[in-house]
Amino acid sequence: MTETVMAGSKSEQAYAAVKARIVDGTYSPGFRLVLAKIAEALGFSVVPVREAIRRLEAEGLVKFERNVGATVSGIDPTEYLYTMQTLSIVEGAATALSAPLIGEADIARARAVNEEMRECLQHFDPVRFTALNQDFHSVLFEHCPNPHILDLVHRGWNRLASLRSSTFRFVPGRAHDSVDEHEAILKLIETGAGADQIERAARLHRSATLDAYLAQAARTDLAPSPQPSQQ
């Protein structure tokens, strides 16, 4: 494993390197994270790697198992369900609160990212699409003036990170609708729509991905049980 030089402390560099591999699927759920091997590959001592792993554990991406050590966490369908339900609520609120603070430059940046997502549909790469999707939504919620809501949004994205790399691979048809819904949300913000309308559009956009996942999971016997109503 060859690493590019990154800015920041060694702990930050180790955190970024390991998290990137969890998100892109290189380190899949259940993968054993051997601190000495990671440290050797990065050219660090074990100490900053241990700090990075502890940070990832706090985010829910890594767990410690007795007699095994640190492994990459998996998210079962029920966990995915609850996390997506929560994220649809808090991200919808964050987007609505951010809307008055989103300027023309932000809109242009978000629209440019969405166009990249549209181009990505031609030769679909679910990992790249997911990364662009997070970039898009970050533009819309990062201006949220409520730090507690913003923290919950970040926690939701972090909890989904290990699974989200494959979500659009699991329901690729959802990607097309997602891009169109992004543009609709941008138009609401551009035209000064009310907070309630923006919050609802952002919330339904998130829950639509969950609904698509649940529908596909039901067909492949992966759906959580019991399955609560999405209305």
Side-chain angles (χ1 to χ4, degrees):
M1 178 171 66
T2 303
E3 300 297 333
T4 56
V5 177
M6 295 174 286
S9 69
K10 290 182 178 180
S11 176
E12 285 286 343
Q13 293 179 49
Y15 166 81
V18 176
K19 183 174 183 176
R21 280 159 179 73
I22 292 174
V23 172
D24 70 17
T26 301
Y27 294 165
S28 59
F31 182 88
R32 187 182 176 196
L33 299 167
V34 181
L35 274 60
K37 289 185 177 180
I38 295 173
E40 181 181 4
L42 293 172
F44 299 158
S45 70
V46 171
V47 174
V49 175
R50 182 180 294 112
E51 292 174 353
I53 296 300
R54 289 295 184 186
R55 183 175 168 186
L56 290 165
E57 181 190 18
E59 294 179 358
L61 296 180
V62 170
K63 63 180 179 180
F64 281 86
E65 299 181 36
R66 181 175 295 184
N67 300 324
V68 176
T71 60
V72 176
S73 298
I75 301 180
D76 63 30
T78 300
E79 180 71 10
Y80 179 79
L81 166 65
Y82 295 153
T83 303
M84 283 289 280
Q85 285 178 331
T86 302
L87 190 56
S88 70
I89 295 169
V90 296
E91 189 176 20
T95 301
L97 289 170
S98 291
L101 304 174
I102 295 175
E104 291 182 5
D106 298 312
I107 293 290
R109 182 157 60 97
R111 184 162 279 132
V113 172
N114 202 41
E115 284 307 309
E116 287 188 64
M117 295 178 73
R118 196 179 299 280
E119 292 172 5
C120 187
L121 296 174
Q122 302 302 316
H123 302 285
F124 193 55
D125 178 348
V127 173
R128 173 168 167 72
F129 188 88
T130 295
L132 289 169
N133 186 52
Q134 184 165 1
D135 289 344
F136 174 86
H137 284 287
S138 293
V139 177
L140 302 191
F141 65 66
E142 284 295 353
H143 288 295
C144 178
N146 186 318
H148 299 295
I149 292 177
L150 189 57
D151 179 63
L152 290 173
V153 174
H154 287 155
R155 286 175 180 272
W157 277 92
N158 286 332
R159 291 187 67 168
L160 290 172
S162 61
L163 182 61
R164 286 191 62 80
S165 63
S166 61
T167 299
F168 285 108
R169 183 182 293 115
F170 191 62
V171 284
R174 171 65 191 143
H176 293 77
D177 292 337
S178 183
V179 170
D180 292 337
E181 290 165 15
H182 285 173
E183 179 59 30
I185 294 171
L186 287 177
K187 287 182 178 177
L188 287 176
I189 295 173
E190 276 184 312
T191 57
D196 288 348
Q197 190 175 1
I198 293 171
E199 185 278 333
R200 176 178 169 80
R203 174 167 47 83
L204 292 179
H205 167 67
R206 175 69 55 203
S207 62
T209 298
L210 172 59
D211 290 343
Y213 175 86
L214 291 174
Q216 179 63 23
R219 289 191 288 270
T220 55
D221 296 324
L222 294 176
S225 179
Q227 180 178 327
S229 171
Q230 296 304 303
Q231 298 303 317

